[in-house]
Amino acid sequence: MAENKNHICLFPFYAFYYRGDDHKIGACCMQKPMLSSLEDGDIKSWWTGPDMQKIRQQFLDGKWPDSCKICQQQEKAGVETIRDKWHRQFLLKFGANYNDIDVVNGNSTGQPFFIDYRPDNLCNLSCTMCNPGASSKIEQLARDLNLSIWKLPKENSFEQNDNVKLIMSEHTKGIKINGGEPTINSKIKDIYQYAIDKGLAEDIHLQFSTNFTNFNKTFNLLSKFKRSSVTASLDGTRNTYEYIRSPANWKSVKNNILKYKKLMMSDPKKYFFSITSVWFTATAFTLQDWLPEILDFLDEHFPKSSLTINQCQTPHFQNLSVIPTEYRQEIYDTIERIRPRYPHWKYVFDELKFGLDWFQFDPKNLKQWQELTPKTDAYKKTDITKLHPRYQDLLNYKLIDIKNV
């Protein structure tokens, strides 16, 4: 029986996250860095291996693993941790139990209940905060501009699904498979079909995040699963959205979400919807423009759905550490100015404030942002300075008085 249940994260005992671009694997997608690499191994062996045993033991001993800093910081700040939210939304509903955890096998079944898998980077957008491992468009940008800031995927290095299929079993209660963009990826559809053909889908809660640039045949497969939760990746609305998620069109994306609403209304107990917004430099100064629109949209069309604020940790030159201290008060003020209109969305505003508190200004990251933004904007035919005057101020910000930059 586990002691200090409030501290224990159940993910190392019941779940894993696996990236096909670099074969890194860990307990969840928020771990920085990932626990292990599967270059010469398989998931079944890793599940009972020394890396997972170590992190499980750390939680049982009441210690925070080094790779779990974001939840640790959230807990200190008094905001709901990603761990607690995902326990409530997923793992506990899948049958995870604090009284059934084991250092070697994870739990009494010896199998993961939840699989979070990213087979490759195939994508149709080049999002500002993304990386080559998660977007083929950003990979192409990095190659074309000869950028050395990222480790690029090796040719033909992506996962071919067999490793994940071998770990899927009757104990698999949830799968989350993203890319890239899931709705255009044949590897992801292959996993869906495998679960259907093996008779597993009827007991599986399917999850995926999509940019909703299309509403294609992928959505026809959702009815085969016990439940389906679809998350719209919306980093702002209108001009902010179209800048960040180039070359997406806001109006088209919004219409596709409303198409999903019709599917959802056909069986409200089977289909679920949520939104994730990345909180980083490009969304910070236009908060007044996009956040009320997203909250109003949810209140009108999806009143029981959630909005997750995703703190951008990497790339470092895009997260909130780029913003100098003297520019932050206006963002805090915007948060507090909007907050009273949406008391039922308190946790959203708390998370926005937490991000500003956590990511302290780092002049090295600003310098890199200043160097890269004009290049990437020119490549994508976008212009961040059209979003808000502060972005021009950031580009012009003088760092000459700061040593070692």
Side-chain angles (χ1 to χ4, degrees):
M1 183 173 179
E3 300 295 334
N4 193 14
K5 294 178 182 179
N6 290 334
H7 175 76
I8 291 173
C9 178
L10 291 172
F11 271 78
F13 301 91
Y14 285 95
F16 70 85
Y17 164 74
Y18 181 39
R19 286 199 310 243
D21 64 311
D22 57 7
H23 303 279
K24 293 294 178 65
I25 190 166
C28 90
C29 64
M30 299 307 296
Q31 286 190 294
K32 306 289 184 205
M34 283 291 105
L35 289 179
S36 319
S37 175
L38 286 186
E39 291 289 352
D40 300 310
D42 64 88
I43 297 174
K44 281 191 172 183
S45 298
W46 170 84
W47 180 254
T48 57
D51 290 346
M52 278 296 263
Q53 289 188 41
K54 178 181 178 181
I55 192 172
R56 289 167 183 153
Q57 190 63 58
Q58 285 177 307
F59 276 115
L60 289 175
D61 292 340
K63 300 176 181 177
W64 279 102
D66 291 340
S67 57
C68 299
K69 288 184 175 65
I70 186 166
C71 283
Q72 182 182 18
Q73 293 299 322
Q74 287 174 325
E75 187 173 87
K76 285 182 179 179
V79 300
E80 184 178 35
T81 64
I82 295 169
R83 171 200 62 197
D84 293 340
K85 181 177 182 179
W86 289 352
H87 280 182
R88 171 171 49 81
Q89 290 183 341
F90 307 122
L91 285 190
L92 294 176
K93 292 182 179 179
F94 297 156
N97 190 326
Y98 289 101
N99 295 323
D100 183 18
I101 53 179
D102 179 80
V103 171
V104 177
N105 298 307
N107 59 78
S108 61
T109 72
Q111 299 290 330
F113 285 19
F114 180 67
I115 296 171
D116 187 347
Y117 173 44
R118 319 293 165 90
D120 62 29
N121 66 350
L122 182 64
C123 194
N124 57 344
L125 300 183
S126 52
C127 300
T128 307
M129 65 295 181
C130 203
N131 63 80
S135 170
S136 53
K137 291 287 188 180
I138 293 294
E139 179 186 356
Q140 191 60 53
L141 176 152
R143 295 188 189 280
D144 290 347
L145 295 180
N146 195 28
L147 299 180
S148 59
I149 53 174
W150 288 297
K151 182 180 179 181
L152 299 179
K154 297 177 182 178
E155 189 174 357
N156 299 320
S157 66
F158 290 109
E159 182 61 43
Q160 298 303 316
N161 288 347
D162 291 344
N163 215 342
V164 172
K165 288 178 180 179
L166 288 172
I167 199 71
M168 292 176 69
S169 72
E170 69 273 16
H171 300 292
T172 305
K173 302 303 178 184
I175 57 173
K176 178 180 178 182
I177 311 181
N178 289 332
E181 170 51 36
T183 62
I184 64 171
N185 194 317
S186 60
K187 289 182 183 177
I188 292 177
K189 293 174 187 176
D190 174 60
I191 291 288
Y192 293 171
Q193 196 62 54
Y194 178 82
I196 294 168
D197 293 344
K198 293 294 182 180
L200 302 175
E202 59 191 26
D203 292 320
I204 287 177
H205 186 152
L206 173 66
Q207 303 170 52
F208 66 91
S209 297
T210 172
N211 56 38
F212 267 107
T213 52
N214 62 72
F215 191 76
N216 60 20
K217 293 181 180 179
T218 302
F219 291 87
N220 295 338
L221 297 175
L222 304 190
S223 64
K224 305 294 184 181
F225 290 82
K226 182 177 182 179
R227 293 186 182 89
S228 295
S229 294
V230 179
T231 299
S233 298
L234 301 181
D235 311 299
T237 62
R238 303 179 189 269
N239 292 341
T240 299
Y241 175 86
E242 292 181 355
Y243 170 79
I244 293 170
R245 292 191 165 262
S246 172
N249 177 274
W250 167 247
K251 184 177 180 180
S252 175
V253 166
K254 189 175 179 180
N255 287 337
N256 285 332
I257 293 174
L258 293 177
K259 291 178 184 178
Y260 177 74
K261 179 186 176 182
K262 291 182 179 180
L263 175 64
M264 185 175 168
M265 293 302 291
S266 69
D267 192 345
K269 294 183 179 180
K270 188 177 183 70
Y271 301 103
F272 302 88
F273 176 78
S274 63
I275 292 176
T276 293
S277 296
V278 179
W279 184 223
F280 72 118
T281 301
T283 52
F285 292 107
T286 61
L287 186 66
Q288 178 68 54
D289 299 331
W290 63 263
L291 182 59
E293 184 168 8
I294 285 182
L295 295 180
D296 289 342
F297 181 77
L298 283 170
D299 285 343
E300 178 181 358
H301 296 286
F302 303 94
K304 295 182 179 180
S305 298
S306 64
L307 169 62
T308 296
I309 300 300
N310 187 356
Q311 303 289 349
C312 176
Q313 297 186 69
T314 57
H316 301 296
F317 57 85
Q318 292 291 356
N319 69 34
L320 294 170
S321 67
V322 166
I323 301 175
T325 305
E326 58 265 39
Y327 293 165
R328 292 176 176 238
Q329 189 57 51
E330 63 191 82
I331 306 173
Y332 282 115
D333 290 345
T334 301
I335 292 171
E336 298 309 320
R337 186 168 58 251
I338 303 172
R339 185 195 289 266
R341 294 165 52 188
Y342 302 96
H344 52 301
W345 291 106
K346 178 183 180 298
Y347 75 90
V348 169
F349 296 93
D350 290 347
E351 188 65 32
L352 294 170
K353 184 177 180 296
F354 164 75
L356 285 173
D357 293 341
W358 186 30
F359 291 97
Q360 298 298 303
F361 175 51
D362 188 329
K364 293 181 180 179
N365 291 342
L366 173 56
K367 181 180 181 182
Q368 196 168 42
W369 183 89
Q370 290 173 329
E371 293 171 348
L372 290 172
T373 298
K375 295 178 183 178
T376 55
D377 271 359
Y379 181 91
K380 297 194 293 181
K381 297 181 173 60
T382 55
D383 185 354
I384 197 171
T385 64
K386 292 182 178 179
L387 295 182
H388 193 281
R390 274 296 181 221
Y391 293 112
Q392 186 65 61
D393 294 339
L394 284 182
L395 287 170
N396 296 335
Y397 193 87
K398 300 298 183 183
L399 294 166
I400 55 175
D401 296 327
I402 302 175
K403 296 180 180 180
N404 300 319
V405 175

